[in-house]
Amino acid sequence: MLIKISDKVKQALDNNVPVVALESTIISHGMPYPFNVQTALNVEKIIEEQGCVAATIGIIDGVGIIGMDHEEIEQFGKKKGIVKVSRRDLPIVMAKKMWGATTVATTMILASKANIEVFVTGGIGGVHRNAQQTFDISADLQELAHTNVTVVCAGAKAILDLPLTLEYLETFGVPVLGYKSDNLAAFYSKDSGLKLDYNMADEAEIAKAIYYKRKLDLKGGILVSNPIPNEASIDNDYINQKIDEALKEANKQNIKGKDVTPFLLSYIAKHTQNKSLDANIALIYNNAKIGANIAKEYMKLKTDK
């Protein structure tokens, strides 16, 4: 068995109940225990309070689980050595019967296999700073170019080169929609200062954009940039200073590849007295609510026509 869809998720899909996908990297690599498990379960609760079904996705003993139960999420939060799985890793992790945490890219792949349209995350990967020298570009961006899933996030992670990330998405034809905002969200901060082409008035308008993209058979995802709530937003100058410090430390320790993001997030949390962790939790809760409403509006369009 390559993929197992939980009974709850399967029933929802069969009965046109909107389903919202969630990743598992945020559990195993994004936050320390027990905050990771508490956050994951709270995100599921928020989605279900909006009338949708949450489908947390992870890989257990080589099987892609679409709709992890509470016990599996608890195990994910505690277990050491879970591999962070992107597109290139997926067949190997399955072949070796390993546990794997899905990134944005692999969550999109597995969600699309189950025909789940909407996926909620914190922030996507993108073009790393100094990518002109390192060629370090997240596989998330290519997945958005090719896989039919809408990703609701608080922008790309602030540790990235945001202008280059936007340019890359434009080159590959990925629509980037601002939720009630003219500018790209900057993860920990509401506003990156980078202009987007489309400010969407509400969830219904975003759902229409998804609907028409699918009707036109235009392959690839849509990225919804949903700014962090005002009360949780961190000042851009302050957080950028901490990011610069974290990048210098990563270079000093020769940390590279997929280890960079977890290191930077951990370093920034420690050196902001967990302000960044609090912001991370606030933005994912906010994304869950907006993502669930988008999923509901999209399901209405699909079933009404």
Side-chain angles (χ1 to χ4, degrees), residues 19-33:
V19 177
V20 176
L22 298 165
E23 63 167 271
S24 46
T25 296
I26 197 169
I27 306 170
S28 62
H29 294 77
M31 298 176 189
Y33 182 83

Side-chain angles (χ1 to χ4, degrees), residues 40-142:
L41 295 178
N42 284 339
V43 170
E44 286 202 343
K45 185 180 175 189
I46 290 165
I47 287 167
E48 286 165 5
E49 283 171 349
Q50 305 305 310
C52 300
V53 168
T56 299
I57 296 175
I59 301 161
I60 296 177
D61 295 330
V63 177
I65 309 295
I66 300 177
M68 290 164 60
D69 62 29
H70 288 194
E71 185 181 339
E72 288 165 335
I73 289 171
E74 181 76 23
Q75 287 177 297
F76 245 81
K78 289 180 175 177
K79 190 175 175 68
K80 303 296 182 188
I82 293 179
V83 181
K84 187 177 175 185
V85 182
S86 194
R87 169 177 275 268
R88 66 173 188 178
D89 311 295
L90 190 54
I92 298 93
V93 168
M94 286 184 164
K96 286 179 168 286
K97 307 295 181 191
M98 297 167 71
W99 283 55
T102 56
T103 59
V104 167
T106 37
T107 306
M108 289 181 73
I109 291 167
L110 293 173
S112 71
K113 299 287 184 193
N115 294 316
I116 299 171
E117 175 63 51
V118 178
F119 159 39
V120 163
T121 187
I124 63 161
V127 180
H128 280 255
R129 299 184 190 201
N130 302 313
Q132 299 93 324
Q133 284 78 43
T134 65
F135 283 82
D136 192 351
I137 300 172
S138 170
D140 295 352
L141 300 186
Q142 277 296 307

